[in-house]
């Protein structure tokens, strides 16, 4: 059985807390204790609220002395570098010397919380500090509470807590990307541009590397038995017990024999084990004499080309993509592996963003069709109601949608997607019971295999997103918050049968914004979407995505997040306050990618 503790054997980035203080002797004596208490309180909030991808609490490092000048600032920076700090939060209770206490590492996401107390000029310090950062081209997030607090108040106001957490989630997501890699297994699938791996994008914007493996490496490992045979037997037994086989959609002359279907199951289980091992390595392989294969590629995401060179000959990759992207497998609940179908690495990067912000599995889908109320009524006789009244987007793709996407996990009695450490065994069983493994259409996947067929439960708040690359502009992010919706069973069946009913379906209704060019109606969302693919994440996380994008200097060209939820570095307002979207583009262009 695989021991996957090595997956994060080098640990996670920490949040460094920098208490800042006025260096004048009497002022320092009067405010040192308070400043340290506020710093520790911020660390407590972050550690108790946020979790790393493995479920462990986020670790904060509070500098053990208050920083009052250049020497202490340098000592703090050295300590944080040695301790693996990837995100910075500066805490100040009053005036300090900005140029002498500021941190100038532009690759570390940085927020500054200035205590709002009238006894000490916290607002003046905040103004001077963020002006210094802006003048030096070092964007910083400014946090300043709305209401004045008493000087003996050590609590963190709700609005300050919200900004600290929003910044920290996004900052950690950026830090988790740094130094990792995207593994491209194969090349371009069926002429899809999103499969083209842009090394410059990964290196300059995400701080990641790229690795490349031909799909023949998967074939080699299958044929030579380069996988854990004990885990293979466990996984195959799990498949036979848990994976419910659905009806074969093929005409009789194209139905393949049961013996071949069984061999295909064995192949796809091996494919899942091998792709996982390629991504993160497997010490078990070294014990078997395969030292090189045991290393892996330090990949936090991968993509499998599949179509058509693979799927014309071998069974499809639907099983490996669906199961690896899920929060569980034959080993029980565990963190999802991000694997993009058709090697669409831009969707993989989007999946990474949303996974690290939520710690949940992601739904990879085609933006297949917009169904207007009129078209639904014409096709089925049913008039859409409720959240679906303005029409729905049919999100569907061949296999990579995580099984979590069934919506069979529950929180407070409502369907949800949950971090793996919260998932109960019975919730895993419900997700599997709600999934039917349908033999593939042989005219599309000549090698056979089984597709993932399920219907996402309605009522879940979700966010649909996508990174696109545009010549002359670079990467841009687009997103749409909304809800999954349920259609009457007969209506869903009629609409689903018109496309590929063996694939998982999510009916999505975006939140509309009257008068907005992209969100005035559902058709406008479809019309402005930049690709054939999207990623759906549980929760309304658009504000966090926008904060993360600003850290990486990726502008957002389409969103339906209210202005009061936006949180970007303070310098963004210098690029224009009446047109936040335009200011975002101008700021990102001026500062350039986070990693140059």
């Amino acid at each position: 059985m695989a021991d996957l503790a090595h997956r994060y054997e080098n640990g996670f980035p920490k949040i460094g807390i920098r208490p800042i203080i006025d260096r004048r002797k009497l002022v320092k004596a009067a405010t040192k204790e308070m400043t340290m208490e506020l710093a520790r309180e911020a660390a407590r909030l972050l550690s108790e609220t946020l979790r790393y991808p493995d479920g462990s609490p986020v670790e904060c490092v509070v500098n053990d002395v208050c920083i009052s000048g250049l020497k202490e600032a340098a000592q703090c920076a050295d300590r944080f570098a040695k301790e693996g700090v990837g995100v910075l939060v500066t805490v100040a209770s009053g005036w300090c010397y900005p140029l002498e206490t500021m941190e100038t590492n532009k690759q570390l996401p940085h927020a500054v919380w200035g205590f709002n107390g009238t006894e000490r000029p916290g607002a003046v310090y905040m103004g001077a500090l963020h002006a210094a950062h802006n003048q030096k081209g070092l964007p910083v997030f400014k946090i300043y509470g709305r209401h004045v607090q008493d000087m003996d108040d050590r609590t963190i106001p709700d609005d300050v807590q919200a900004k600290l957490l929003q910044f920290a989630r996004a900052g950690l997501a950026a830090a988790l990307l740094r130094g990792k890699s995207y593994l491209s297994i194969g090349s371009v699938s069926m002429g899809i541009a999103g499969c083209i791996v842009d090394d410059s994008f990964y290196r300059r914007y995400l701080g990641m590397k790229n690795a490349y493996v031909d799909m023949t490496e998967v074939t080699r490992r299958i044929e030579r038995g380069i996988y854990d045979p004990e885990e293979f037997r466990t996984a195959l037994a799990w498949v036979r017990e848990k994976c419910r086989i659905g009806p074969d959609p093929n005409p009789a002359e194209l139905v393949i024999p049961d013996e071949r279907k069984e061999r295909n199951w064995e192949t796809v289980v091996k494919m899942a084990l091998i792709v996982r091992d390629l991504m993160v390595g497997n010490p078990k392989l070294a014990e078997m004499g395969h030292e090189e294969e045991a290393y892996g590629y330090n990949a936090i995401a991968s993509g499998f080309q599949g179509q058509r060179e693979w799927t014309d000959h071998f069974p499809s990759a639907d099983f490996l993509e669906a199961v690896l992207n899920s929060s569980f497998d034959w080993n029980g609940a565990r963190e999802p592996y991000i694997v993009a179908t058709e090697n669409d690495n831009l969707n993989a990067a989007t999946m990474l963003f949303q996974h690290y912000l939520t710690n949940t599995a992601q739904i990879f889908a085609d933006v297949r069709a917009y169904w207007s109320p009129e078209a639904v009524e014409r096709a089925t006789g049913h008039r859409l109601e409720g959240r679906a009244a303005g029409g729905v987007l049919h999100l569907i793709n061949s296999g990579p949608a995580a099984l979590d996407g069934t919506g069979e996990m529950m929180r407070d009695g409502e369907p949800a997607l949950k971090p793996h450490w919260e998932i109960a065994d019975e919730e895993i069983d419900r997700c599997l019971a709600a999934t039917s493994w349908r033999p593939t259409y042989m005219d599309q996947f000549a090698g056979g295999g089984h597709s993932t067929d399920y219907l996402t439960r309605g009522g879940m708040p979700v966010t649909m997103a996508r990174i696109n690359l545009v010549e002359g502009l670079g990467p841009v992010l687009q997103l749409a918050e909304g809800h999954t919706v349920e259609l009457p069973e007969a209506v869903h069946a009629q609409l689903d049968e018109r496309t590929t009913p063996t694939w998982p379906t999510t009916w999505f209704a975006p939140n509309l914004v009257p008068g907005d060019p992209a969100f005035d109606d559902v058709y406008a969302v479809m019309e402005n979407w930049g690709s054939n693919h999207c990623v759906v994440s549980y929760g309304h996380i658009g504000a966090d995505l926008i904060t993360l994008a600003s850290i990486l200097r990726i502008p957002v060209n389409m969103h339906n997040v209210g202005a009061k939820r936006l949180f970007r570095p303070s310098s963004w307002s210098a690029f224009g306050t009446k047109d936040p979207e335009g200011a975002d583009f101008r700021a990102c262009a001026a500062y350039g990618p986070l990693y140059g």
Side-chain angles (χ1 to χ4, degrees):
M1 191 63 65
D3 176 10
L4 301 178
H6 66 283
R7 188 171 174 184
Y8 288 111
E9 60 189 351
N10 294 324
F12 297 103
K14 301 172 185 176
I15 300 177
I17 311 291
R18 307 173 69 250
I20 308 292
I21 202 169
D22 191 319
R23 74 185 190 196
R24 287 172 288 190
K25 181 178 179 180
L26 295 180
V27 179
K28 189 173 185 178
T31 58
K32 179 173 67 174
E33 179 182 349
M34 174 188 182
T35 303
M36 288 300 295
E37 287 183 9
L38 291 174
R40 294 189 188 104
E41 192 65 19
R44 182 198 61 77
L45 169 71
L46 298 174
S47 292
E48 290 183 357
T49 308
L50 303 179
R51 294 288 179 270
Y52 289 125
D54 68 347
S56 61
V58 164
E59 186 174 349
C60 294
V61 181
V62 180
N63 198 50
D64 49 11
V65 298
C66 288
I67 299 168
S68 63
L70 291 165
K71 180 179 179 180
E72 291 154 334
Q75 290 172 336
C76 178
D78 290 343
R79 178 192 176 190
F80 283 179
K82 293 173 183 175
E83 296 203 29
V85 165
V87 182
L88 297 176
V89 175
T90 289
V91 177
S93 61
W95 173 256
C96 311
Y97 293 10
L99 292 176
E100 298 181 16
T101 58
M102 66 191 297
E103 171 57 59
T104 58
N105 186 336
K106 67 178 183 179
Q107 293 186 350
L108 295 182
H110 190 179
V112 181
W113 170 31
F115 182 82
N116 184 2
T118 55
E119 290 85 348
R120 300 288 176 185
V124 178
Y125 168 69
M126 285 296 303
L129 179 71
H130 90 91
H133 274 271
N134 295 347
Q135 189 169 332
K136 291 178 176 291
L138 302 169
V140 66
F141 289 80
K142 183 173 70 172
I143 301 175
Y144 186 68
R146 175 176 290 272
H147 304 295
V148 172
Q149 294 179 254
D150 297 330
M151 287 301 290
D152 60 354
D153 186 355
R154 302 296 187 264
T155 62
I156 304 180
D158 290 345
D159 60 334
V160 173
Q161 288 190 35
K163 287 188 174 181
L164 281 171
L165 292 170
Q166 185 171 338
F167 163 77
R169 281 191 295 267
L172 283 169
L176 285 163
L177 298 170
R178 190 183 307 127
K180 296 296 193 296
S181 64
Y182 174 83
L183 174 62
S184 173
I185 304 173
S187 183
V188 175
S189 172
M190 300 187 299
I192 299 173
C195 308
I196 301 171
V197 179
D198 188 320
D199 177 82
S200 177
F201 164 65
Y202 278 91
R203 175 175 51 84
R204 299 172 68 224
Y205 285 90
L206 308 184
M208 293 177 62
K209 300 177 181 180
N210 298 100
Y212 306 88
V213 173
D214 192 272
M215 289 185 293
T216 56
E217 174 61 9
V218 179
T219 308
R220 184 181 77 91
R221 294 195 184 198
I222 290 174
E223 293 179 353
R224 300 190 182 185
I226 306 176
Y227 51 84
D228 181 349
E230 180 183 352
E231 186 176 9
F232 167 69
R233 289 189 290 271
T234 299
L236 189 60
W238 180 84
V239 166
R240 288 169 174 160
E241 178 187 358
K242 301 288 188 179
C243 293
R244 181 169 58 88
I245 308 302
D248 193 321
N250 293 287
E253 64 272 16
L254 292 181
V255 173
I256 62 178
D258 290 342
E259 312 86 75
R260 183 179 166 192
K261 288 180 179 178
E262 181 58 29
R263 290 197 303 272
N264 282 346
W265 271 117
E266 295 177 5
T267 299
V268 298
V269 170
K270 293 173 185 177
M271 289 165 62
L273 294 173
I274 289 167
V275 169
R276 184 204 64 196
D277 292 348
L278 283 167
M279 291 178 66
V280 303
N282 188 347
K284 180 70 174 180
L285 300 184
E287 297 174 15
M288 297 167 55
H290 303 291
E291 181 179 346
E292 181 182 356
E293 291 86 346
Y295 292 144
Y297 285 86
N298 195 37
I300 53 174
S302 70
F304 191 82
Q305 176 194 329
Q307 300 183 71
R308 288 188 32 232
E309 286 76 9
W310 182 274
T311 56
D312 278 2
H313 184 55
F314 290 107
S316 76
D318 288 17
F319 176 81
L320 87 84
E321 293 161 354
V323 170
L324 291 185
N325 277 315
S326 299
S327 299
F328 54 84
D329 59 18
W330 43 89
N331 293 316
R334 47 97 177 120
E335 183 195 357
Y337 296 87
I338 302 301
V339 183
T341 198
E342 296 160 353
N343 198 26
D344 183 352
N345 68 96
L346 294 179
N347 234 38
T350 311
M351 294 167 80
L352 278 175
F353 284 14
Q354 302 196 144
H355 170 60
Y356 282 146
L357 289 172
T358 64
N359 287 318
T360 61
Q362 304 299 305
I363 301 173
F364 182 122
D366 275 354
V367 186
R368 180 59 60 93
Y370 161 63
W371 277 98
S372 67
E374 295 80 5
V376 172
E377 188 168 19
R378 175 184 54 78
T380 69
H382 175 75
R383 187 71 180 178
L384 296 176
E385 300 174 341
R387 289 194 175 106
V392 290
L393 297 182
H394 192 182
L395 308 181
I396 178 173
N397 199 278
S398 57
L403 304 187
D404 308 52
T406 57
E408 292 297 327
M409 300 171 189
M410 294 290 160
R411 178 174 286 126
D412 300 325
E414 298 294 330
L417 275 69
K418 299 161 68 171
H420 69 88
W421 58 86
E422 295 182 10
I423 299 173
D425 288 345
E426 56 267 25
E427 292 178 312
I428 294 175
D429 288 341
R430 287 203 300 270
C431 290
L432 289 164
T435 303
S436 175
W437 296 91
R438 306 281 302 277
T440 57
Y441 281 96
M442 296 302 291
D443 60 345
Q444 298 178 47
F445 301 96
H450 288 77
S451 294
T452 324
D453 183 16
Y454 67 72
L455 175 62
T456 301
R457 294 186 60 166
M460 292 194 291
V462 294
T463 302
M464 181 175 89
R466 166 77 180 183
I467 296 170
N468 295 298
L469 291 179
V470 179
E471 178 64 24
L473 180 61
V476 289
L477 175 70
Q478 56 184 170
L479 63 95
E481 294 184 336
H483 292 82
T484 62
V485 296
E486 288 186 18
L487 305 182
E489 184 176 350
V491 174
H492 161 72
Q494 286 179 273
L495 301 183
D496 200 37
E497 287 291 336
R498 295 173 66 110
T499 177
T500 312
T502 59
W503 294 350
T505 281
T506 302
W507 295 108
F508 174 67
N511 295 340
L512 301 180
V513 182
D516 186 284
F519 289 95
D520 188 63
D521 61 13
V522 181
Y523 174 80
V525 177
M526 178 80 176
E527 180 72 3
N528 284 280
W529 203 251
S531 173
N532 56 310
H533 289 155
C534 73
V535 181
V536 177
S537 185
Y538 178 76
H540 287 161
I541 62 167
D544 286 354
L545 275 169
I546 291 169
T547 298
L548 172 57
S550 70
I551 289 172
L552 301 174
R553 318 298 186 241
I554 298 174
V556 181
N557 70 304
M558 171 181 169
H559 72 82
N560 56 349
V561 177
K564 290 186 177 180
R565 294 172 57 203
L566 300 181
F567 189 34
R568 291 176 168 128
S570 65
S571 60
W572 261 237
S573 63
F575 291 87
T577 57
K578 296 186 183 300
D579 175 20
E581 183 174 297
D584 183 33
F585 275 81
R586 290 187 288 273
C588 289
Y591 289 117
L594 181 60
Y595 301 101

